[in-house]
Amino acid sequence: MSVLTTLGNFLPPPLYMRMLSAGVDISDTSLKYIQFQPDHYKGLQLNVNCWGDIDIPVGVLERGLVHDVKKLSEAIREMRERTGIEMVRVSLPEERAYLFETEIKRDTPDKEIRGLLEFRLEENVPLSPRDAIFDYVLSEDAQNVDVLRAMVTVYARETVMQYYEACIAAGVNPLSFEVEAQAIARATIPRGDIRTHMIVDFGKTRTGVGIVHAGSLMYTSTVDIGGQELSAALVRQLGEKTETEFTTIKNTEGLVRGVEDTRVYDALLPTLSAIVDELRTRADYWDIRSSQYEERKIESIILCGGSVNLRGLPEYITEMLGVPAKRSNVWQNAFNTRTVVPEIGRRYSYGYATAIGLALASFM
């Protein structure tokens, strides 16, 4: 869900919606961007127009909170100067999002829905309507034909405006802002899939968790453990090495226990066990919350993020949680990878899942 509707009065008219826009994924440490353009000779297939990443200095953002709008704007401006990109769709941090679900009567007029949901904000999130920006998605209630389910995403107005101001100062126009997990879902879940999936975004400094049902984000959370904790564990076991060397060790040895040397496995297992325990806690919470809806049972775990290349990770999560886990195909809703070779290598592409999903919003 995006806050495009709510920010509409800040943005240009719909003509811009027909112009090429880039997906921009902003984290505490980097900015990743990608832009597609339609392939007019191959129907719905898209081509990658440009892509890249830019380091963000330490301290500019912390857990998604912008401490230095000017520095963030400089990173966005660098992207614009590299590529000429003027229209962007930007990720908002999961750590700062509030989600809640409520029901509304089916016969409620469209023009009254937003006011009704605004009235319910204070019952569900620690923000007043005046200090909040929100958007919502409506879906059918499988058990009651007289009501609709409303999935509402809320951010503090101050949080959204910091990202908005950074974009404007950089000379780019933000068409929408969206929770990371919703953007990942657009990239990694096949079109028309109405099942329930857990999305695990295994990043450098944290692991994002989202639960998506029928294409809509229903739950999001963050685990404060990421790839850098795995590297720290390897330092304690193997001594100092370069980050490139540790990445190679994680990707080639990982959770596959050696016959003669088990040091890598022994170093990584406690951290991975802690992450899986957090995933189990969130899955159990979801099962309890959604127990009356059989169709909301988690059927798969989709893995993405820059640290997801750890060898043996999908198999380990599958075994520990009893739910099939697999690394995502981040391109499946953009083009057919059997006929198109992506410019971004497979291992590197997992870290672009959010940016890809944001960019796809212009075409889906």
Side-chain angles (χ1 to χ4, degrees):
M1 284 168 281
S2 75
V3 294
L4 172 62
T5 304
T6 309
L7 287 179
N9 57 334
F10 294 106
L11 302 176
L15 174 63
Y16 280 87
M17 299 296 291
R18 298 192 292 271
M19 301 179 70
L20 291 180
S21 61
V24 179
D25 174 23
I26 298 173
S27 71
D28 288 355
T29 59
S30 69
L31 179 156
K32 291 183 174 66
Y33 62 88
I34 189 167
Q35 184 186 62
F36 293 111
Q37 61 182 7
D39 189 325
H40 299 293
Y41 298 99
K42 295 183 179 180
L44 296 176
Q45 185 162 292
L46 303 175
N47 293 325
V48 175
N49 190 40
C50 60
W51 62 278
D53 65 88
I54 296 167
D55 290 336
I56 293 179
V58 175
V60 174
L61 294 101
E62 183 180 3
R63 293 180 57 83
L65 182 65
V66 181
H67 292 306
D68 193 328
V69 173
K70 181 180 178 182
K71 289 288 186 182
L72 176 57
S73 177
E74 290 172 359
I76 299 172
R77 183 180 296 109
E78 182 178 341
M79 174 200 69
R80 180 176 64 83
E81 291 173 350
R82 284 186 189 180
T83 64
I85 288 171
E86 296 181 350
M87 311 294 167
V88 294
R89 299 182 183 275
V90 182
S91 67
L92 291 175
E94 291 164 345
E95 296 97 323
R96 303 293 164 183
Y98 301 98
L99 275 69
F100 71 90
E101 186 178 13
T102 187
E103 65 179 38
I104 59 173
K105 293 181 179 179
R106 180 178 289 275
D107 59 0
T108 303
D110 291 345
K111 63 182 180 180
E112 296 180 13
I113 292 177
R114 179 164 291 276
L116 178 63
L117 294 177
E118 183 174 300
F119 182 74
R120 297 182 186 177
L121 284 184
E122 290 188 272
E123 301 173 11
N124 293 278
V125 302
L127 295 169
S128 69
R130 180 179 58 186
D131 297 327
I133 290 179
F134 73 95
D135 199 14
Y136 62 93
V137 169
L138 300 179
S139 62
E140 296 290 333
D141 189 310
Q143 298 182 350
N144 188 346
V145 296
D146 294 326
V147 302
L148 295 172
R149 309 300 301 178
M151 196 64 220
V152 186
T153 301
V154 189
Y155 276 94
R157 181 176 296 274
E158 180 183 10
T159 298
V160 178
M161 293 310 298
Q162 286 177 327
Y163 285 84
Y164 177 81
E165 290 165 4
C167 289
I168 296 302
V172 301
N173 290 296
L175 298 181
S176 62
F177 297 90
E178 192 167 35
V179 187
E180 293 165 289
Q182 181 66 71
I184 292 172
R186 187 179 298 112
T188 62
I189 297 176
R191 298 177 193 233
D193 189 326
I194 62 172
R195 296 175 298 163
T196 302
H197 306 272
M198 173 182 279
I199 292 174
V200 179
D201 180 13
F202 193 14
K204 181 179 180 180
T205 61
R206 56 87 167 133
T207 299
V209 183
I211 297 177
V212 176
H213 172 68
S216 293
L217 181 65
M218 310 292 287
Y219 170 85
T220 186
S221 180
T222 304
V223 179
D224 291 325
I225 307 173
Q228 66 182 13
E229 278 74 26
L230 295 180
S231 295
L234 289 174
V235 168
R236 293 190 293 269
Q237 185 72 267
L238 305 179
E240 292 289 344
K241 295 180 183 293
T242 66
E243 187 57 39
T244 300
E245 289 175 311
F246 280 133
T247 298
T248 300
I249 291 170
K250 286 185 282 188
N251 295 350
T252 57
E253 298 184 46
L255 293 173
V256 178
R257 188 167 188 166
V259 176
E260 297 181 357
D261 189 347
T262 65
R263 290 181 300 165
V264 172
Y265 176 87
D266 294 340
L268 297 177
L269 189 61
T271 301
L272 263 298
S273 295
I275 293 175
V276 169
D277 286 344
E278 295 289 346
L279 297 182
R280 182 182 293 108
T281 297
R282 285 153 177 78
D284 289 346
Y285 166 76
W286 174 257
D287 287 343
I288 294 171
R289 167 179 155 178
S290 304
S291 59
Q292 71 272 34
Y293 297 102
E294 179 61 30
E295 69 275 10
R296 293 190 179 187
K297 182 178 177 63
I298 296 172
E299 296 188 36
S300 80
I301 299 173
I302 299 172
L303 306 175
C304 63
S307 297
V308 81
N309 288 298
L310 180 70
R311 186 180 178 189
L313 180 62
E315 296 81 0
Y316 177 72
I317 292 177
T318 297
E319 179 181 356
M320 299 305 294
L321 297 184
V323 179
K326 64 177 182 179
R327 295 187 182 93
S328 58
N329 175 4
V330 300
W331 303 114
Q332 63 186 314
N333 291 322
F335 47 73
N336 188 342
T337 54
R338 289 178 294 182
T339 59
V340 176
V341 179
E343 294 183 37
I344 307 175
R346 180 174 57 86
R347 288 183 177 274
Y348 200 46
S349 71
Y350 299 129
Y352 276 79
T354 301
I356 291 169
L358 290 164
L360 285 173
S362 294
F363 305 96
M364 293 176 64

